[in-house]
C-alpha cells in the first residue's frame, strides 16, 4: 500500500518534496491534473468532480491513504469526498471498512495557526480557496477568538510558474496584495496554495519579522508523520521501498521544466487520462 498525493497541477511537487524530506522511506504516487490546471477559478461542482476522479485513480494505484495537496481542492471538495463520496465508494466497491483515507492540507495548517497566533490570521490563496472560506471556518472551530482576514491572490500562480520570483513586477503585485493584511496588523500569515512557498522569502520580506509565515509543505509533512505514528494500523501496511511514481494528465516541455525545478532533475512523468 502506497501514499497518494494529488494536486491540480505540479505545485503539489513542492509539498511532496517536503513530505519526502521528512518521510523518504514510503512509496508515493503523485498525480497532477496538468491538463485541467488551474482549478483556482473553477466552480465548486467542477472541482469536486475532478478531485473525485483523481482520488479514484489513486485508490486504484494501491494508495489507501491519499493526501490532497491542492488547497483549492482541499477547500472545495475534501469535506464532500469524506462525508458523501467515500462511504458510497466503499459500498459500491465492497471495501467498506478497508481503511481508505483522504486527507487535506487545510486542517494541519489551521492547527498550527491556532497554536502560534494570538490575534489575527491572514490567509492568501486562489479565488476558490478564499471564497470557500474553508480556512475561516476551520479556524473558527478551533479558536473562535482569532480574527481571520483573507485575500485572493490569483496572479501569484502564473508569476511563480513563469519563474518571475525576483522580478519587480512580482514584488509590486505582492505588495499590492499584502497591503490589506499588513494594514490590519496580522501576526500570522497562511500561504494557502501549493505554489506560494516559492515566494516565501519575498513575502516574509514584505510582512516583516512580527508576522509568522506558515508554509504548508513543512506543516503537512510534520502532520503526516504524526498521523502515521498515531495510526499504526495504516503505517504497518505501507510499502517502504522509497519508490516514487509521477502521473500527469498532460505532458509538455513547460511541465517537464516545472517538475525538474520543483522536484528533481530526473523526475519522469507518465501521462494518464482521468474520467
Ligand atoms: N494547486 C492550487 C492550490 O493549491 C493552485 C493552482 C490551481 O489554481 O489549480 O490552490
Amino acid at each position: 500500500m502506497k501514499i497518494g498525493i494529488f494536486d491540480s497541477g505540479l505545485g503539489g511537487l513542492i509539498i511532496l518534496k517536503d513530505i519526502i524530506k521528512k518521510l523518504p522511506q514510503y512509496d508515493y504516487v503523485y498525480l497532477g491534473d496538468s491538463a485541467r490546471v488551474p482549478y483556482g477559478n473553477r466552480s465548486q461542482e467542477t472541482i469536486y468532480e475532478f478531485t473525485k476522479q483523481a482520488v479514484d485513480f489513486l485508490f486504484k494505484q494501491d494508495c489507501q491513504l491519499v493526501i490532497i495537496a491542492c488547497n483549492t481542492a482541499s477547500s472545495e471538495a475534501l469535506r464532500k469526498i469524506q462525508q458523501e463520496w467515500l462511504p458510497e465508494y466503499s459500498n459500491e466497491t465492497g471495501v467498506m471498512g478497508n481503511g481508505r483515507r483522504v486527507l487535506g492540507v487545510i486542517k494541519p495548517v489551521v492547527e498550527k495557526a491556532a497554536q502560534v497566533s494570538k490575534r489575527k490570521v491572514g490567509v492568501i490563496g486562489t479565488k476558490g480557496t478564499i471564497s470557500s472560506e474553508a480556512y475561516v471556518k476551520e479556524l473558527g472551530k478551533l479558536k473562535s477568538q482569532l480574527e481571520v482576514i483573507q485575500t485572493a491572490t490569483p496572479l501569484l500562480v502564473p508569476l511563480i510558474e513563469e519563474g518571475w520570483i525576483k522580478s519587480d513586477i512580482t514584488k509590486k503585485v505582492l505588495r499590492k496584495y499584502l497591503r490589506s493584511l499588513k494594514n490590519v496588523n496580522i501576526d500570522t500569515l497562511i500561504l494557502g496554495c501549493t505554489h506560494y512557498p516559492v515566494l516565501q522569502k519575498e513575502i516574509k520580506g514584505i510582512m516583516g519579522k512580527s508576522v509568522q509565515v506558515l508554509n504548508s509543505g513543512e506543516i503537512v509533512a510534520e502532520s503526516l508523520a504524526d498521523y502515521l505514528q498515531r495510526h499504526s494500523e495504516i503505517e504497518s501496511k505501507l510499502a517502504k521501498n522509497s519508490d516514487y511514481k509521477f502521473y500527469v494528465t498532460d505532458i509538455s516541455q513547460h511541465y517537464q521544466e516545472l517538475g525538474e525545478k520543483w522536484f528533481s532533475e530526473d523526475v519522469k512523468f507518465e501521462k494518464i487520462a482521468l474520467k
Side-chain angles (χ1 to χ4, degrees), residues 161-205:
E161 294 206 349
E162 277 308 305
W164 288 20
I165 311 306
K166 304 275 173 227
S167 136
D168 282 348
I169 294 175
T170 306
K171 265 181 216 146
K172 274 196 186 134
V173 170
L174 272 177
R175 272 199 218 103
K176 187 165 169 57
Y177 277 149
L178 297 174
R179 192 174 305 140
S180 59
L181 301 174
K182 218 171 138 72
N183 284 346
V184 293
N185 289 322
I186 56 166
D187 60 14
T188 306
L189 175 62
I190 293 176
L191 304 186
C193 175
T194 44
H195 292 55
Y196 299 175
V198 174
L199 286 175
Q200 180 160 302
K201 217 168 113 206
E202 287 69 23
I203 293 172
K204 276 186 175 165

Side-chain angles (χ1 to χ4, degrees), residues 213-263:
V213 175
L214 301 184
N215 169 342
S216 54
E218 287 158 17
I219 297 168
V220 169
E222 279 290 333
S223 134
L224 178 61
D226 176 62
Y227 181 87
L228 292 175
Q229 210 167 24
R230 284 184 288 111
H231 291 86
S232 55
E233 76 287 1
I234 296 177
E235 203 283 336
S236 60
K237 283 195 234 144
L238 288 175
K240 298 172 186 77
N241 309 306
S242 302
D243 182 41
Y244 314 144
K245 280 214 161 52
F246 301 89
Y247 294 102
V248 286
T249 50
D250 191 24
I251 304 182
S252 69
Q253 181 66 24
H254 174 65
Y255 294 143
Q256 185 61 37
E257 283 166 13
L258 288 181
E260 288 171 18
K261 190 153 66 174
W262 290 341
F263 191 77

Side-chain angles (χ1 to χ4, degrees), residues 7-9 11-12 37-41 69-73 126 129 157 192-195:
D7 182 40
S8 56
V37 71
Y39 282 14
N41 296 325
C70 178
N71 273 262
T72 309
T126 63
T129 298
V157 166
C193 175
T194 44
H195 292 55

Side-chain angles (χ1 to χ4, degrees), residues 33-73:
D33 193 4
S34 47
R36 302 188 293 199
V37 71
Y39 282 14
N41 296 325
R42 293 184 186 274
S43 69
Q44 196 264 334
E45 296 78 41
T46 301
I47 295 166
Y48 175 60
E49 270 318 304
F50 289 177
T51 306
K52 253 182 0 187
Q53 294 169 3
V55 174
D56 184 45
F57 173 83
L58 287 168
F59 280 167
K60 289 179 177 143
Q61 309 308 305
D62 193 27
C63 301
Q64 265 186 258
L65 177 62
V66 172
I67 297 170
I68 299 183
C70 178
N71 273 262
T72 309

